[in-house]
Amino acid sequence: NIPFVPGYPSINRVEGDAATHLGLLSVSAGILFGGGAQFYASTTYGTKNANSYENYRLPTKVRYTDPTTGLTTYPFPFGFTPRESTEEHDYAVTAGLKDTMAQWKWDLSTTYGADRIRLYTLDSANAGLFALTGIPTPSNYYDGFLEAQQWTTTLDVNRDFDVGLSSPLNVAYGGEYRH
């Protein structure tokens, strides 16, 4: 049946990049106080949906042989091409305060961000289950998710010292806590 597969002889659709749809939002703001201190904040949010083909599967990949009659059933007589699909949601929020004290510039900020990707297999079949039971299986599966979260807080301090060179000597130090 392979010559009758749509697109024959180019039945493997794994070419190029996955189809991707993106949505992004970014907002930044700041407030300058009378004494020179500055509060700042920003946030980002993004979504991404992607869909890509896997390799073509032969009709024999999913089959059931009836133990009584010996007849074999192929639910996909022309084979099939599964797809991998993802839904991603990503965001981050940052807030900080910076100022100068005794000629030392300091900047204290914190950022929290997270990313979650849901994974799916589409237009496929559970070959093992069909081989055992002959009962049609679902064709779309939720495979699970990947998730990452991070919270970072940073303090940066620096000051310029005139030591008689062509430009001032900058002394800087800082620290960061990451969870």
Side-chain angles (χ1 to χ4, degrees), residues 93-169:
V93 177
T94 298
L97 185 63
K98 59 185 176 179
D99 199 358
T100 302
M101 184 182 304
Q103 296 183 339
W104 287 91
K105 298 175 188 172
W106 58 269
D107 186 344
L108 177 65
S109 66
T110 190
T111 300
Y112 178 80
D115 183 70
R116 185 178 182 114
I117 304 171
R118 290 182 177 87
L119 309 167
Y120 301 88
T121 301
L122 307 174
D123 301 329
S124 189
N126 185 326
L129 181 62
F130 188 76
L132 289 173
T133 65
I135 299 170
T137 69
S139 59
N140 297 328
Y141 303 92
Y142 171 64
D143 300 322
F145 66 91
L146 305 170
E147 185 173 49
Q149 299 176 27
Q150 183 170 296
W151 189 358
T152 304
T153 301
T154 304
L155 174 63
D156 296 315
V157 180
N158 74 73
R159 178 180 173 187
D160 289 337
F161 290 94
D162 187 10
V163 292
L165 299 173
S166 61
S167 61
L169 171 69

